[in-house]
């Protein structure tokens, strides 16, 4: 009887041991497989119209920004979050939203630095956000945080413009919206009724700036101001181009020569403007302008920043060199951050390189 019981216990022990070994094997599979082998699923496309077969056929894939379907439906993959205006606890900057044109929806977010005892007038900064002309907004957390930082450090009254995006509104809509916004700022800083601009802004120190596609817009606004008078006769003091989005048919020194890569940039530009402008058009390739055209750049100071690993870096450097060699009568400053990607400072504002770049931006905006 005792022997039989021992045999049964031995079998039970073996069974338990087998179960433990199986469990251990499962745990090994779960925890020891490298995480980079587990690829996240791509963002799901929002449901389309089941009755329209064109609603699921991709017409243009502009990943990682958006996908446009044959039906015209647009699915944005990034830059769609929004945040409210108000008082920023970290900087003390106050922001508010204003409508510039109710007919088109043209709007802006304004930023006012905290008072430091005296109600002195501040430089006025008109800022155009990036996002390849197709994503992002003046109201996204990314640009809200950046403008809070700039307004606090440089002590400027900032106006971040909410221009309309492609492909729903292809170029030149963004340019036209941006020009109307710049004139609205000039008008209100001169005589109101917008109190932050009328009472706190110093129109004699008007700056126009932007990053990436926004820098492209800022450049085109300064060029347009050379042929069209801004409201009230306002003059742009400085132009600040952060990692500007410029391209062209023929590569400049240091630019990629990969045919597929160049075709991709040419195709996306055509998508943005609906084929209205070629890749050699001065709107996207200022280097295509004759030297005499640079004289129309209506400002007295220009700053161009670049990031070492940015595809747009070589043409940004070439832009500064061309302007410098054109006979344009103004000051040019350049700032480069080696080893960084396109507009890195937006995603990592507390990074040491981002802090240094913000210090450069602050210096450019505050220097008398």
């Amino acid at each position: 009887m005792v022997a039989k019981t021992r045999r049964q216990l031995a079998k039970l022990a073996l069974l338990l041991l087998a179960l433990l070994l199986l469990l251990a094997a499962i745990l090994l599979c779960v925890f020891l497989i490298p995480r980079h082998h587990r690829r996240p699923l791509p963002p799901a496309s929002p449901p389309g119209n089941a009755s329209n077969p064109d609603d699921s056929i991709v017409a243009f894939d502009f990943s990682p920004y958006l996908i446009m379907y044959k039906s015209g439906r647009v699915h944005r993959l990034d830059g769609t979050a929004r945040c409210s205006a108000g008082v920023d606890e970290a900087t003390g900057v106050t922001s508010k939203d204003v409508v510039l044109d109710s007919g088109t929806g043209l709007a802006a977010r304004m930023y006012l630095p905290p008072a430091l005892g005296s109600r002195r007038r501040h430089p006025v900064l008109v800022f155009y956000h990036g996002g390849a002309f197709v994503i992002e907004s003046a109201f996204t957390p990314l640009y809200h945080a950046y403008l809070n930082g700039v307004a606090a450090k440089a002590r400027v009254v900032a106006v971040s413009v909410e221009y309309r995006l492609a492909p729903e509104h292809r170029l030149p809509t963004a340019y036209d919206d941006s020009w109307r916004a710049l004139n609205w700022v000039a008008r209100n800083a001169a005589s109101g009724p917008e109190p932050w601009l009328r009472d706190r802004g110093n129109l004699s120190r008007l700056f126009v700036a932007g990053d990436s596609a926004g820098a492209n817009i800022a450049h085109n606004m300064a060029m347009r101001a050379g042929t069209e008078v801004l409201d009230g006769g306002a003059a742009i003091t400085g132009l600040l181009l952060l990692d500007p989005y410029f391209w062209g048919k023929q590569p400049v020194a240091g630019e990629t020569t990969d045919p597929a890569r160049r075709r991709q940039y040419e195709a996306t530009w055509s998508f943005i403007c609906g084929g209205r402008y070629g890749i050699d058009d001065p709107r996207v390739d200022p280097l295509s302008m004759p030297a005499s055209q640079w004289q129309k750049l209506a400002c007295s100071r220009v700053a161009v920043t670049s990031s070492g690993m940015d595809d747009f870096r070589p043409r940004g450097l070439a832009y500064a060199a061309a302007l410098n060699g054109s006979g344009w009568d103004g000051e040019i400053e350049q700032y480069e951050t080696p080893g960084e990607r396109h507009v890195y400072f937006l995603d990592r504002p507390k990074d040491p390189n981002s802090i240094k770049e913000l210090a450069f931006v602050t210096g450019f905006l505050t220097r008398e």
Side-chain angles (χ1 to χ4, degrees):
M1 184 69 177
V2 173
K4 183 177 180 181
T5 301
R6 287 178 177 173
R7 285 195 299 271
Q8 290 176 339
L9 288 174
K11 289 180 180 178
L12 182 59
L14 286 172
L15 180 60
L16 289 172
L17 180 60
L19 289 173
L20 287 173
L21 288 173
L22 179 61
L23 179 61
I26 292 171
L27 291 174
L28 284 172
C29 289
V30 171
F31 292 104
L32 296 185
I33 292 175
R35 289 187 179 273
H36 64 267
H37 288 168
R38 301 179 193 169
R39 297 182 180 177
L41 292 173
S45 173
N49 184 352
S51 64
N52 184 358
D54 289 346
D55 212 33
S56 59
I57 299 173
V58 174
F60 193 85
D61 189 339
F62 198 175
S63 297
Y65 305 118
L66 61 74
I67 296 173
M68 183 174 181
Y69 295 88
K70 191 175 179 180
S71 65
R73 181 169 65 95
V74 175
H75 176 208
R76 286 185 165 81
L77 306 173
D78 196 9
T80 59
R82 298 292 184 269
C83 65
S84 300
V87 179
D88 181 57
E89 293 184 3
T91 62
V93 171
T94 303
S95 58
K96 67 178 180 180
D97 296 336
V98 292
V99 176
L100 313 188
D101 185 340
S102 58
T104 63
L106 179 61
R109 177 161 291 181
M110 299 184 65
Y111 297 82
L112 183 69
L116 296 178
S118 64
R119 290 183 61 84
R120 62 185 289 268
R121 290 181 175 271
H122 304 290
V124 176
L125 171 66
V126 179
F127 188 88
Y128 303 107
H129 69 81
F133 294 97
V134 298
I135 62 166
E136 293 294 347
S137 161
F139 310 135
T140 57
L142 195 71
Y143 285 98
H144 182 69
Y146 184 72
L147 268 297
N148 272 320
V150 171
K153 292 291 185 181
R155 299 198 57 75
V156 295
V157 178
V159 181
S160 182
V161 179
E162 177 73 350
Y163 57 86
R164 287 172 288 176
L165 301 176
E168 295 91 342
H169 306 280
R170 299 183 193 266
L171 293 180
T173 299
Y175 293 140
D176 292 340
D177 282 354
S178 298
W179 180 249
R180 281 193 288 271
L182 181 56
N183 275 287
W184 180 89
V185 170
R187 211 165 43 245
N188 278 272
S191 57
E194 169 47 53
W196 287 9
L197 288 169
R198 182 193 62 211
D199 302 334
R200 305 298 299 278
N202 179 0
L203 190 57
S204 68
R205 297 184 63 202
L206 173 63
F207 292 86
V208 176
D211 71 292
S212 190
N216 174 294
I217 292 174
H219 158 78
N220 280 286
M221 295 305 99
M223 291 298 300
R224 188 165 176 175
T227 57
E228 298 180 38
V229 178
L230 282 168
D231 284 357
I236 300 171
T237 300
L239 174 64
L240 175 60
L241 308 180
L242 307 172
D243 289 3
Y245 168 27
F246 297 133
W247 202 250
K249 192 71 174 179
Q250 297 301 321
V252 299
E255 210 169 61
T256 180
T257 56
D258 177 55
R261 189 75 170 153
R262 300 196 69 83
R263 281 196 301 270
Q264 180 185 26
Y265 279 124
E266 189 166 350
T268 54
W269 170 252
S270 181
F271 174 75
I272 291 163
C273 68
R276 288 184 179 89
Y277 314 119
I279 199 66
D280 281 337
D281 189 280
R283 293 169 182 82
V284 68
D285 183 16
L287 302 183
S288 67
M289 295 190 302
S292 60
Q293 288 294 105
W294 289 98
Q295 308 302 318
K296 296 178 181 178
L297 191 69
C299 58
S300 56
R301 294 168 52 207
V302 172
V304 183
T305 75
S306 55
S307 300
M309 299 173 68
D310 185 4
D311 279 357
F312 299 130
R313 170 186 173 271
R315 201 162 292 257
L317 299 178
Y319 173 99
L323 179 60
N324 191 45
S326 69
W328 173 76
D329 186 21
E331 299 178 26
I332 305 169
E333 298 179 51
Q334 291 178 257
Y335 182 88
E336 181 164 2
T337 308
E340 292 289 3
R341 298 187 180 278
H342 189 61
V343 295
Y344 70 94
F345 48 86
L346 293 175
D347 294 316
R348 307 191 331 262
K350 295 183 179 179
D351 183 271
N353 282 341
S354 301
I355 293 171
K356 290 176 184 176
E357 177 139 341
L358 180 57
F360 171 79
V361 169
T362 299
F364 180 76
L365 296 174
T366 55
R367 182 163 61 83
E368 297 287 349

